[in-house]
Amino acid sequence: MNSAIKKEDRTLASLLHLSAFTKYFIPLGNFIFPLVLWLIRKENKFIDHHGKQALNFQISIFLYFIVLVLGGIAGMVFTGMQLSLESTHFPFKDDSNLGELARLFPFGLILGGVLTLLLGLFILEIFAVVQAAIKASEGKTYKYPLSINFLGANNNHSSNHQSENEQFNNTQNQRL
């Protein structure tokens, strides 16, 4: 555990990450609460790093969700249009209900694929947020997987896990 980071900063950073779960109770809570917690202590490098990471990840997850849903809708519409053009030439049309079920296969494939990816995104979000909260409580930095860097997370201080005082003391020792 990194004792150079204050316990209150580690706790706030952990809460910052965990506050993303408020979206299941309050609409847009995954953006509002991390933003408010981040802005409270933004001048602290540790809080600043975790706040930017949490918000970048939540924005990224939201965009991935939108892209998956819109891609699924577009795939369904395209498949539906293609099937409507081929409906007069479908081989099983008049033979049995099997032909009607077979026509639904592309829809099921698209829907199943999109739902699987959305489930994967949901599971990734849960595990990544919990992992980030654990790392923050240990006084370590964390970079979310698949996160797009919207807020310009500054990684200069994340490469080494030293407090500002330790970094200052190291530069002073190097000058002596």
Side-chain angles (χ1 to χ4, degrees):
M1 183 181 284
N2 192 345
S3 61
I5 308 292
K6 294 180 194 175
K7 182 172 174 54
E8 65 186 34
D9 291 341
R10 294 191 314 247
T11 303
L12 181 61
S14 293
L15 286 173
L16 197 145
H17 291 291
L18 293 174
S19 68
F21 291 134
T22 59
K23 76 178 183 180
Y24 299 112
F25 309 106
I26 300 169
L28 299 176
N30 60 324
F31 300 115
I32 296 168
F33 291 105
L35 180 65
V36 168
L37 292 173
W38 173 52
L39 291 175
I40 290 171
R41 300 280 304 276
K42 183 178 164 180
E43 67 281 348
N44 181 308
K45 284 186 177 182
F46 185 72
I47 301 296
D48 186 50
H49 171 78
H50 283 280
K52 287 179 180 177
Q53 290 296 320
L55 288 169
N56 282 336
F57 184 66
Q58 290 304 313
I59 295 168
S60 299
I61 288 292
F62 178 72
L63 288 177
Y64 295 144
F65 174 81
I66 295 297
V67 166
L68 281 173
V69 169
L70 291 179
I73 291 171
M76 297 281 249
V77 168
F78 179 74
T79 303
M81 287 174 33
Q82 221 175 9
L83 287 176
S84 69
L85 293 175
E86 298 172 357
S87 66
T88 59
H89 304 294
F90 198 78
F92 302 112
K93 182 169 177 138
D94 296 327
D95 294 343
S96 69
N97 287 339
L98 181 62
E100 294 300 318
L101 289 176
R103 293 182 69 187
L104 297 177
F105 181 73
F107 289 109
L109 194 61
I110 292 171
L111 184 63
V114 168
L115 289 177
T116 301
L117 289 172
L118 287 173
L119 178 65
L121 198 61
F122 172 72
I123 291 170
L124 170 71
E125 180 182 16
I126 289 174
F127 282 115
V129 167
V130 169
Q131 182 69 25
I134 290 170
K135 291 291 185 184
S137 71
E138 294 173 348
K140 298 178 182 175
T141 57
Y142 183 77
K143 177 145 177 47
Y144 281 97
L146 301 177
S147 182
I148 302 169
N149 193 9
F150 293 104
L151 298 177
N154 185 3
N155 292 327
N156 293 340
H157 61 275
S158 67
S159 61
N160 53 12
H161 304 292
Q162 296 178 337
S163 70
E164 292 177 29
N165 291 339
E166 288 175 333
Q167 291 174 3
F168 177 75
N169 289 337
N170 286 343
T171 58
Q172 292 300 320
N173 290 339
Q174 289 174 358
R175 290 184 193 160
L176 296 176

